[in-house]
């Protein structure tokens, strides 16, 4: 049975990656490819259904032991699978190793690798290599109401990849030129690691890791603790001792605490052999009150880089004095390094399962590797409870400013609708009218504010700030961005001597219009540009996980007419998933740009509602009514599309293939034509390419009787970019 399933998987990979563009008669169009993917993924999940349900019922789904059991089950069924958290060896690694070897030699091969998630689902990678090129179909499976559900994500060409001597397979999602260095890396360990090394790694190294502490980033021992930061390891050891985060007990809103010795010292001494006097010398000990002054890492003291390395014990040695010496490699997925640096950790196991850290020594670093992601707190314990930012000699606190402005909107939030049928009531998504009212109120309070689809009020303050920034002066500006979910994203840009930084405060709401600070942070700004058209485009020095390469805000206003035309005709369309906006076309060749993948977006633009299906088949009357209203096509032309089934008189639903970092369009002008049509001038705004007009679409539309529009043609003119070179 194992060999049969392995053969099926090889055929499926070849089918998915090599046969998805056949004709309708062959049944190998995109819809049938996705059907094959779903069928095989569900079959995989069914092999461990019993394990999933037992773990879910006993609330053990997120434990390493359950992931191990799932891996073993999949391995016995012949699948190649690995733990997403890199805690267990890959099962059936031979197929993956053969694939990497053949890829290095320019050969042809395919493999499917499953990456098991904490929730009992998995990420599936169907990989194919030929002649040095590598393609991937990425999909995911999750459990919903006791049944496995498959979500197709995307297909892409691998930008670069490597297979290391240690057995790590790194590959990077392809992004077109001009994107810089995005975070699209995947790291899978193929070759096995000694199980004892994995056990020691889980027990001694994973929990501290390399984030928010320097336990493993500096040299120290019990005789000389060197640069070891005791406040940071207190927060880490607190979780080890009590099984909960320090934030469960102490607020991260800037509050300063005075901790009694019995609340502070035993936490450190549980895993570190250190005298009380040493602790007091290395912290803010108040002799008069007999307390430790302590403020948890929080609002602006977390490092912002999400893609930090993780530890992996690769060797161990039991010393004669009862200690354990571990050699640890830092695996850095973002940098494609399976040995970013190596350090030697010595621990002292104790009876009852406890242990003490004895020393750490950094042995080596790869070229160009530093520990810049770790930012030592500027002042973990301070006499004042919150940081302040100067503005022309006046000290102002971003959190206080945010809460003060939020209080001025209390009466608006009191009247908004809430979702009641949940444990924690939450706001319904705000309408554009609601958000516009909040922006207007913030403007009345003298604040610079904006929201999606709503013009910024007091935008001149941003222009003044940017001029000072480009002149090398010192200034600041605070922008309130009203989110669709109701929270206020309060962004304070600060500049001095050509450098800029962003302080971010998020204000949430409780029922009754009660604001609270739900999070905050800071990040240096690497790039900052205010375009002539009025877009503020900026990039963080430390990119946030899953974020775009650049962020943006529309500063200068857009006319109400252009906003309305954007809403009715352009919002919801995608530049990168189909050809409608990426090629010239007219009524004569319109069928060349119509594809099944675009129906869902056209349906939304035409009806204002999201497509809802009971199965994967769309009734022909619905499908044809939408397309014939939106484009100059006939029912007869549509029935030539590959997803039409004449027997059931339905059209097979097809997911649009999501491509990353897509631009969006906005109508910036229009003309009324003599034949009753309109020509819309649509700028392709592409912040990730650092432009607010990569190219311009000239789209001719005519109004339907029901207020919707029919698209008649599209012509593209290059502006900041040559649109013909974009994939």
């Amino acid at each position: 049975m194992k060999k049969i399933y392995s053969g099926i998987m090889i055929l499926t990979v070849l089918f998915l990656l090599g046969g998805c563009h056949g004709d309708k008669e062959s049944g190998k169009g995109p819809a049938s490819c996705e059907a094959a993917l779903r069928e095989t993924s569900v079959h995989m999940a069914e092999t461990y259904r019993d394990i999933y349900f037992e773990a879910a019922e006993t609330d053990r789904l997120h434990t390493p032991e359950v992931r191990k059991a799932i891996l073993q089950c999949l391995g016995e069924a012949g699948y190649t699978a690995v733990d997403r958290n890199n805690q267990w060896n890959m099962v059936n690694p031979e197929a993956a190793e053969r694939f990497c070897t053949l890829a290095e030699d320019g050969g042809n091969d395919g493999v499917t690798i499953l990456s098991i998630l904490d929730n009992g689902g998995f990420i599936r990678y169907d990989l194919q290599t030929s002649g040095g090129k590598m393609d991937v179909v990425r999909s995911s499976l999750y459990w919903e109401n006791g049944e496995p559900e498959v979500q197709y994500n995307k297909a892409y060409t691998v930008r670069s990849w490597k297979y290391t001597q240690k057995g790590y397979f790194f590959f990077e999602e392809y992004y077109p030129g001009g994107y810089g260095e995005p975070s699209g890396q995947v790291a899978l360990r193929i070759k096995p690691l000694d199980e004892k090394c994995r056990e020691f790694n889980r027990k001694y190294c994973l929990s501290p890791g390399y984030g928010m502490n320097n336990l493993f980033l500096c040299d120290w021992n019990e005789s000389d603790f060197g640069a070891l930061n005791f406040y940071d390891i207190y927060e880490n050891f607190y979780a080890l001792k009590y099984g909960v985060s320090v934030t469960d007990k102490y607020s991260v809103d800037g509050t300063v605490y005075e901790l009694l010795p019995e609340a502070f010292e035993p936490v450190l001494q549980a895993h570190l052999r250190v005298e009380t006097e040493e602790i007091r010398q290395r912290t803010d000990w108040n002799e008069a009150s007999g307390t430790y002054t302590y403020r948890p890492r929080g609002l602006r003291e977390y490092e912002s880089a999400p893609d930090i390395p993780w530890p992996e014990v690769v060797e161990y040695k039991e010393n004669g004095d009862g200690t354990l010496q571990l050699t640890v490699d830092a695996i850095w997925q973002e940098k494609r390094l399976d040995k970013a640096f190596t350090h030697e950790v010595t621990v002292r196991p104790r009876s009852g399962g406890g242990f003490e850290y004895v020393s750490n020594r950094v042995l080596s670093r790869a070229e160009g590797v530093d520990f810049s992601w770790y930012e030592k707190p500027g002042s973990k314990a301070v006499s004042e409870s919150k940081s302040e930012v100067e503005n022309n000699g006046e000290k102002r606190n971003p959190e206080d400013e945010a809460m003060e402005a939020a209080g001025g909107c209390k009466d608006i939030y009191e009247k908004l609708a809430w979702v009641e049928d949940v444990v924690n009531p939450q706001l319904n998504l705000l309408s554009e009218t609601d958000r516009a009212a909040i922006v207007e109120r913030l403007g009345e309070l003298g604040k610079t504010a904006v929201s999606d689809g709503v013009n910024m009020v007091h935008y001149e303050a941003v222009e003044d700030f940017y001029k000072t920034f480009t002149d090398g002066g010192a200034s600041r500006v605070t922008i309130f961005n009203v989110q669709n979910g109701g929270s206020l994203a309060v962004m304070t840009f600060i500049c001095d001597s050509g450098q800029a930084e962003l302080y971010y405060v998020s204000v949430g709401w409780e029922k009754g219009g009660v604001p609270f600070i739900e999070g905050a942070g800071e990040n240096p700004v690497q790039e900052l540009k205010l375009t002539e058209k009025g877009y503020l485009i900026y990039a963080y020095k430390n990119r946030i996980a899953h974020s775009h390469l650049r962020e943006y805000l529309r500063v200068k206003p857009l006319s109400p007419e252009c906003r309305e035309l954007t809403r009715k005709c352009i919002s919801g369309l995608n530049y990168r998933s189909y050809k409608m906006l990426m090629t010239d076309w007219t009524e004569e060749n319109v069928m060349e740009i119509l594809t099944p993948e675009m129906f869902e977006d056209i349906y939304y633009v035409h009806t204002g509602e999201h497509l809802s299906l009971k199965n994967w088949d769309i009734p022909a009357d619905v499908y044809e009514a939408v397309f014939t209203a939106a484009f100059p096509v006939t029912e007869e032309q549509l029935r030539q599309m590959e997803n039409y089934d004449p027997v059931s008189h339905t059209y097979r639903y097809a997911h649009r293939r999501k491509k990353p970092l897509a631009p969006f369009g906005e109508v910036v002008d229009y003309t009324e034509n003599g034949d009753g049509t309109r020509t819309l001038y649509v700028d392709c705004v592409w912040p990730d390419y650092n432009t607010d007009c990569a190219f311009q679409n000239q789209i001719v539309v005519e109004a339907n009787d029901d207020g919707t529009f029919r698209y008649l043609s599209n012509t593209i003119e290059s502006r900041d970019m040559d649109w013909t070179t974009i994939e």
Side-chain angles (χ1 to χ4, degrees):
M1 185 66 72
K2 177 177 178 180
K3 291 182 179 179
I4 293 175
Y5 285 143
S6 298
I8 290 173
M9 287 311 304
I10 292 173
L11 291 174
T12 301
V13 173
L14 296 174
F15 177 68
L16 287 170
L17 289 160
C20 288
H21 303 286
D23 58 12
K24 181 169 64 175
E25 287 75 16
S26 71
K28 293 184 180 180
S32 57
C33 280
E34 291 183 28
L37 185 149
R38 284 181 171 79
E39 182 179 351
T40 55
S41 287
V42 168
H43 182 82
M44 295 170 186
E46 291 292 348
T47 63
Y48 64 86
R49 173 183 283 273
D50 292 343
I51 297 173
Y52 172 83
F53 272 99
E54 182 182 352
E57 290 173 359
T58 56
D59 198 26
R60 296 184 302 110
L61 198 56
H62 295 80
T63 63
E65 291 73 23
V66 170
R67 293 197 304 277
K68 181 181 181 182
I70 292 174
L71 280 172
Q72 290 175 336
C73 188
L74 288 168
E76 291 170 1
Y79 300 117
T80 298
V82 69
D83 174 21
R84 188 73 170 180
N85 294 330
N86 192 39
Q87 294 309 297
W88 306 104
N89 287 333
M90 177 179 283
V91 293
N92 298 321
E94 298 82 9
E97 190 163 9
R98 182 187 66 244
F99 173 84
C100 291
T101 301
L102 287 172
E104 288 178 324
D105 295 338
N108 301 332
D109 198 16
V111 68
T112 293
I113 302 176
L114 307 182
S115 182
I116 309 304
L117 304 173
D118 283 349
N119 60 9
F122 56 74
I123 303 295
R124 171 174 168 174
Y125 299 101
D126 291 290
L127 299 108
Q128 176 74 28
T129 184
S130 178
K133 179 184 176 183
M134 191 177 293
D135 294 302
V136 181
V137 174
R138 182 188 189 277
S139 59
S140 59
L141 180 140
Y142 60 95
W143 293 82
E144 184 172 354
N145 298 322
E147 295 299 326
E149 298 288 339
V150 178
Q151 180 180 359
Y152 171 79
N153 293 92
K154 55 190 170 185
Y156 59 87
T157 298
V158 171
R159 181 186 188 187
S160 59
W161 64 276
K162 75 174 182 179
Y163 183 51
T164 70
Q165 188 174 356
K166 264 177 66 173
Y168 268 94
F169 175 35
F170 295 95
F171 59 94
E172 182 178 10
E173 182 173 338
Y174 174 76
Y175 291 88
Y179 277 112
E181 194 64 32
S183 177
Q185 296 286 355
V186 177
L188 303 173
R189 196 184 217 285
I190 294 177
K191 291 183 180 178
L193 183 63
D194 183 273
E195 288 294 346
K196 205 69 176 174
C197 287
R198 289 199 179 276
E199 177 188 338
F200 290 149
N201 197 55
R202 285 192 294 272
K203 184 170 184 178
Y204 301 122
C205 298
L206 271 183
S207 180
Y210 304 124
M212 293 185 291
N213 75 88
N214 64 350
L215 183 68
F216 299 146
L217 304 181
C218 64
D219 293 355
W220 63 270
N221 56 56
E222 291 178 334
S223 300
D224 180 4
F225 288 98
L228 192 60
N229 187 286
F230 277 31
Y231 278 112
D232 279 342
I233 61 172
Y234 168 79
E235 296 181 356
N236 197 281
F237 288 1
Y238 186 95
L240 288 176
K241 183 176 177 65
Y242 297 112
V244 296
S245 170
V246 71
T247 60
D248 287 3
K249 184 175 179 63
Y250 303 113
S251 172
V252 295
D253 64 358
T255 302
V256 174
Y257 297 90
E258 297 296 328
L259 302 186
L260 294 172
E262 54 266 31
F264 192 76
E265 294 164 2
V267 173
L268 290 170
Q269 292 169 335
H271 294 289
L272 206 63
R273 187 168 292 185
V274 56
E275 298 296 332
T276 298
E277 186 60 31
E278 180 83 16
I279 296 175
R280 295 179 179 181
Q281 289 177 1
R282 289 177 161 270
T283 55
D284 288 344
W285 166 253
N286 190 328
E287 190 69 43
S289 63
T291 58
Y292 291 91
T293 304
Y294 168 66
R295 176 163 65 88
R297 262 190 189 262
L299 296 176
R300 290 193 286 277
E301 292 185 316
Y302 285 101
E303 65 270 346
S304 302
D307 300 305
I308 63 176
W310 68 78
E312 181 177 83
V313 175
V314 293
E315 293 180 14
Y316 66 92
K317 174 185 175 184
E318 297 177 353
N319 298 321
D321 60 0
T323 60
L324 190 63
Q325 183 176 299
L326 309 175
T327 302
V328 187
D329 285 347
I331 314 301
W332 203 340
Q333 177 174 287
E334 173 70 8
K335 306 281 188 185
R336 295 197 302 174
L337 295 172
D338 62 7
K339 196 173 182 179
F341 62 94
T342 301
H343 58 107
E344 184 181 272
V345 182
T346 302
V347 296
R348 181 183 297 113
R350 293 165 56 183
S351 59
F355 63 91
E356 294 171 337
Y357 293 102
V358 177
S359 66
N360 182 74
R361 185 163 61 101
V362 178
L363 302 178
S364 64
R365 301 190 199 184
E367 184 178 355
V369 170
D370 57 28
F371 303 145
S372 58
W373 69 83
Y374 172 74
E375 298 177 4
K376 180 180 177 181
S379 176
K380 290 290 290 188
V382 292
S383 58
E384 54 194 12
S385 64
K386 295 181 180 179
S387 301
E388 296 174 326
V389 182
E390 287 198 24
N391 181 30
N392 297 326
E394 176 190 4
K395 287 188 176 182
R396 303 182 67 191
N397 175 268
E399 290 80 35
D400 289 344
E401 183 178 5
M403 290 296 287
E404 178 185 355
C409 302
K410 181 179 181 353
D411 59 317
I412 299 178
Y413 278 89
E414 284 178 334
K415 300 172 184 177
L416 295 176
W418 287 70
V419 179
E420 298 290 355
D421 58 343
V422 292
V423 176
N424 297 311
Q426 56 186 349
L427 280 168
N428 276 325
L429 288 178
L430 271 59
S431 67
E432 187 172 302
T433 301
D434 291 331
R435 290 184 283 108
I438 297 168
V439 168
E440 182 180 1
R441 174 63 59 81
L442 289 166
E444 293 170 355
L445 297 172
K447 307 300 181 183
T448 300
V450 70
S451 189
D452 185 30
V454 180
N455 285 335
M456 181 179 287
V457 294
H458 301 307
Y459 68 89
E460 299 85 358
V462 180
E463 294 179 319
D464 293 342
F465 166 82
Y466 186 73
K467 184 178 186 307
T468 303
F469 167 73
T470 56
D471 291 343
S475 183
R476 66 171 257 170
V477 65
T478 298
I479 304 169
F480 289 75
N481 192 350
V482 183
Q483 305 294 293
N484 291 340
S487 61
L488 297 179
V490 187
M491 299 173 288
T492 300
F493 289 89
I494 301 170
C495 69
D496 191 4
S497 303
Q499 302 295 315
E501 191 162 10
L502 174 63
Y503 286 81
Y504 178 94
V505 180
S506 179
V507 178
W509 296 87
E510 295 177 350
K511 195 172 182 181
V514 180
F516 67 94
I517 293 179
E518 58 184 3
E522 67 179 51
N523 208 336
V525 175
Q526 187 168 0
E527 298 177 18
L528 186 65
K529 179 175 81 170
L530 182 62
T531 68
E532 185 176 351
K533 199 171 83 176
Y535 270 88
L536 184 68
I537 301 176
Y538 57 97
Y540 296 120
K541 180 179 180 182
N542 301 316
R543 278 189 58 207
I544 300 171
H546 312 300
S547 69
H548 286 270
L549 300 180
R550 294 179 177 89
E551 307 295 333
Y552 66 92
L553 292 167
R554 198 183 216 289
V555 175
K556 290 183 180 179
L558 188 63
S559 74
E561 295 80 10
C562 286
R563 285 202 179 275
E564 183 65 15
L565 287 169
T566 299
R567 275 191 291 270
K568 286 187 174 182
C569 302
I570 304 301
S571 295
L573 300 179
N574 191 287
Y575 276 87
R576 301 198 66 208
S577 296
Y578 37 82
K579 297 180 180 179
M580 177 184 171
L581 300 175
M582 293 297 291
T583 190
D584 292 345
W585 60 270
T586 64
E587 184 174 355
E588 282 70 30
N589 67 336
V590 64
M591 285 303 298
E592 295 178 10
I593 61 103
L594 295 188
T595 59
E597 291 83 1
M598 65 190 293
F599 176 76
E600 188 170 3
D601 287 352
I602 300 301
Y603 180 90
Y604 174 77
V605 173
H606 186 73
T607 67
E609 299 176 355
H610 292 286
L611 182 65
S612 178
L613 298 174
K614 293 183 179 179
N615 53 43
W616 298 105
D617 296 321
I618 306 169
D621 57 341
V622 174
Y623 196 91
E624 292 166 358
V626 169
F627 263 138
T628 55
F631 294 95
V633 294
T634 65
E635 294 176 357
E636 290 72 21
Q637 287 176 297
L638 291 172
R639 291 177 188 179
Q640 299 304 309
M641 297 177 74
E642 65 179 357
N643 63 327
Y644 176 64
D645 182 0
V647 177
S648 63
H649 196 45
T650 60
Y651 289 81
R652 187 68 173 172
Y653 170 76
H655 282 284
R656 64 176 171 86
R657 299 192 172 192
K658 299 178 182 178
K659 293 188 177 181
L661 310 178
F664 62 91
E666 67 175 8
V667 178
V668 295
D669 200 0
Y670 64 94
T671 58
E672 302 283 358
N673 302 320
D675 59 359
T677 63
R678 282 180 179 174
T679 300
L680 308 182
Y681 299 91
V682 182
D683 283 356
C684 171
V685 183
W686 212 332
D688 290 301
Y689 274 118
N690 207 17
T691 174
D692 62 7
C693 187
F695 51 85
Q696 187 175 83
N697 299 80
Q698 294 180 16
I699 304 174
V700 178
V701 299
E702 66 178 357
N704 294 320
D705 293 339
D706 60 359
T708 60
F709 286 84
R710 171 179 287 185
Y711 304 99
L712 301 179
S713 67
N714 176 61
T715 305
I716 307 175
E717 290 187 2
S718 296
R719 294 297 174 86
D720 290 346
M721 297 171 57
D722 180 359
W723 70 274
T724 62
T725 65
I726 300 172
E727 296 189 18

